[in-house]
Amino acid sequence: MKYSDFGLVNTEKMFANAIAGHYAVPAFNFYNMETLTAILAAARKTHSPVILAASESALKYMGDDMLLGLIAGACIAPNEQIALHLDHGHSLDTCIHAIELGFSSVMIDASKLPFKENIKLSHEVAKYAHRHNVSVEAELGTLAGIEDENTKSEKSSYTRPADVIEFVKRTGVDSLAIAIGTSHGAYKRKSDDESLCFDILNQIAKQLPDFPLVLHGASNVPPAYVDTINHNGGKLRGARGIDTTQLKRAAKTNICKINVDSDLRLAFTAGVRETLKQNPAEFNPREYLSPAIANMTAVCIDEITHIMGSKNKI
Ligand code: G3H
Ligand code: 13P
Ligand code: ZN
C-alpha cells in the first residue's frame, strides 16, 4: 500500500516549515484505537501537523492488518499533514516492512552500533526508503532509559558535534536524532538541577544549519497525572521529566520533531485509575477508557500549544 493512499504525507515539508517557523512537530506514540483517536482529535482541534509514531513493539501488539485498518478508518486527508512513522526501527528488514505497509517515515536506530556500522545501516535504509519517497531519521549518541520492550540503556552518551556532518553526508538521511540529556521513560532526572546540554545542541545546529534535528525522550512527566495515579492505587515514586521551559527553548531551534510517549501513557493511566477508584463496581471498558482518551487528548493539545508551538501551523 502507498502511504498517499491513506492520506498520509512524509515529513519533508512539515520539517521545512517547522525550521522556518521556529516550532517543532510532535511525534506522539500510539498502539490501539483509543490512543490513535486521542492523538488525531488533538491534531484536528489544534490544526497542528502531527507524526503518528508506532514502535516495533506497538506494531507487534496491533498486528499489521489491525494497524492498517485503524489508519484507514481514521480517514486522514493530505492537507491535515499527518505522517505515519516507524519509531526506533532496528534493522533494514523492519524498515522495509514498515514502508511496504504504508509508513511515510521510518527511523533506523543504529545508535548502539559503532559509528561506521551506524553509517552503513542508516545509508542502506535511506537508499531503500528514498526510492519510495519515505523520510528517514537516524540517531547519533545514546539516550538512557527504557526505549522499547527489549532495549534498556543504563548509560547515555551525548552526540559528538564533530561527527554530525560526516554522518549526515554519508548516510543521506533526512533528519537526525541527537542525545543532549533527554532519556526515555518517566524517570529522567533525579533533581531539578539536571538540564539539557544546549551547548551541544548549538554546536550541532551550527554544523548543520537548517537540517532537521530530533529530540527523543522528551516527556515532561506532568506532576498532576503522576499524583492522580499515585492517589488512585499507582506507585510511581520519583517520576520526573524534562523541564518544560527547556523543551520550549529546544522547539524554537533546529529541533523540529519532539517525541512524546510517556506523558500520554501517564495521562491515559490516570484516567483509567481515577475512574475505577471512584466507581469500583464499573466493569464496562468503554466507561473507563473514555476518560482516558479525554485525558490523553488534553495532554496532546497542551503540549502542541505550550511546548511544540505547532498550533495552527497547517
Ligand atoms: O521510545 C520508545 C517509545 O516509548 C515506544 O515504547 O516500544 O514500549 O512502544 P514501546
Ligand atoms: P518519552 O519516554 O520521554 O515519552 O520518549 C518517547 C520517545 O522518545 C519515543 O521514541
Ligand atoms: Zn525514542
Side-chain angles (χ1 to χ4, degrees):
M1 197 83 174
K2 279 206 323 254
Y3 63 78
S4 49
D5 295 338
F6 289 113
L8 297 162
V9 296
N10 69 21
T11 58
E12 191 181 343
K13 278 201 189 102
M14 58 172 85
F15 285 173
N17 291 342
I19 288 190
H22 306 288
Y23 63 90
V25 179
F28 291 136
N29 288 74
F30 75 102
Y31 22 85
N32 57 16
M33 184 198 81
E34 285 75 14
T35 49
L36 179 62
T37 302
I39 297 166
L40 286 174
R44 286 169 173 161
K45 278 188 186 147
T46 55
H47 306 283
S48 166
V50 82
I51 296 167
L52 301 168
S55 65
E56 287 178 348
S57 35
L59 243 174
K60 195 167 142 210
Y61 178 77
M62 286 182 274
D64 294 350
D65 292 338
M66 189 62 79
L67 166 85
L68 294 182
L70 289 174
I71 295 294
C75 301
I76 294 164
N79 63 3
E80 290 187 286
Q81 290 189 38
I82 292 173
L84 178 62
H85 173 79
L86 175 69
D87 191 26
H88 295 285
H90 288 103
S91 68
L92 175 63
D93 283 350
T94 317
C95 292
I96 290 176
H97 181 66
I99 292 166
E100 283 173 349
L101 282 181
F103 280 61
S104 60
S105 171
V106 293
M107 174 190 192
I108 174 68
D109 180 357
S111 58
K112 289 180 188 66
L113 298 181
F115 185 62
K116 286 207 168 109
E117 288 172 45
N118 186 350
I119 289 182
K120 187 168 177 283
L121 181 51
S122 301
H123 176 58
E124 280 170 11
V125 171
K127 250 190 340 195
Y128 181 89
H130 289 162
R131 286 205 291 273
H132 301 268
N133 208 16
V134 166
S135 309
V136 179
E137 171 187 335
E139 179 168 329
L140 253 187
T142 36
L143 271 65
I146 300 168
E147 175 183 293
D148 61 36
E149 281 165 9
N150 306 313
T151 321
K152 184 176 191 309
S153 307
E154 300 294 345
K155 285 195 184 136
S156 65
S157 62
Y158 289 141
T159 307
R160 283 165 26 100
D163 289 341
V164 297
I165 292 185
E166 181 185 355
F167 186 84
V168 165
K169 272 199 180 144
R170 288 179 58 189
T171 57
V173 296
D174 307 293
S175 63
L176 181 67
I178 58 168
I180 57 164
T182 57
S183 60
H184 290 106
Y187 301 87
K188 299 185 191 297
R189 294 187 300 155
K190 293 206 169 57
S191 78
D192 286 336
D193 302 337
E194 291 175 40
S195 69
L196 299 184
C197 192
F198 281 94
D199 183 37
I200 292 185
L201 171 54
N202 291 340
Q203 287 182 51
I204 294 172
K206 225 184 220 169
Q207 311 259 1
L208 298 173
D210 297 331
F211 188 81
L213 301 175
V214 177
L215 207 56
H216 280 249
S219 279
N220 65 85
V221 186
Y225 287 126
V226 174
D227 288 349
T228 303
I229 290 173
N230 287 336
H231 288 139
N232 291 283
K235 225 180 195 175
L236 293 176
R237 308 288 169 215
R240 192 194 302 260
I242 307 295
D243 176 60
T244 50
T245 310
Q246 295 189 18
L247 290 170
K248 266 188 240 179
R249 182 174 160 198
K252 293 193 169 75
T253 69
N254 286 26
I255 298 281
C256 59
K257 170 174 176 275
I258 294 190
N259 287 22
V260 173
D261 186 0
S262 297
D263 289 351
L264 314 191
R265 296 178 182 198
L266 290 166
F268 196 94
T269 301
V272 173
R273 280 199 179 276
E274 191 169 42
T275 310
L276 289 179
K277 181 87 184 289
Q278 285 169 3
N279 309 281
E282 186 58 72
F283 68 101
N284 179 351
R286 287 197 303 266
E287 297 302 320
Y288 56 81
L289 291 175
S290 298
I293 296 172
N295 271 5
M296 190 164 150
T297 305
V299 90
C300 290
I301 291 177
D302 186 59
E303 298 196 4
I304 283 169
T305 310
H306 298 115
I307 291 176
M308 312 288 163
S310 62
K311 188 176 174 182
N312 292 326
K313 295 298 185 189
I314 291 185

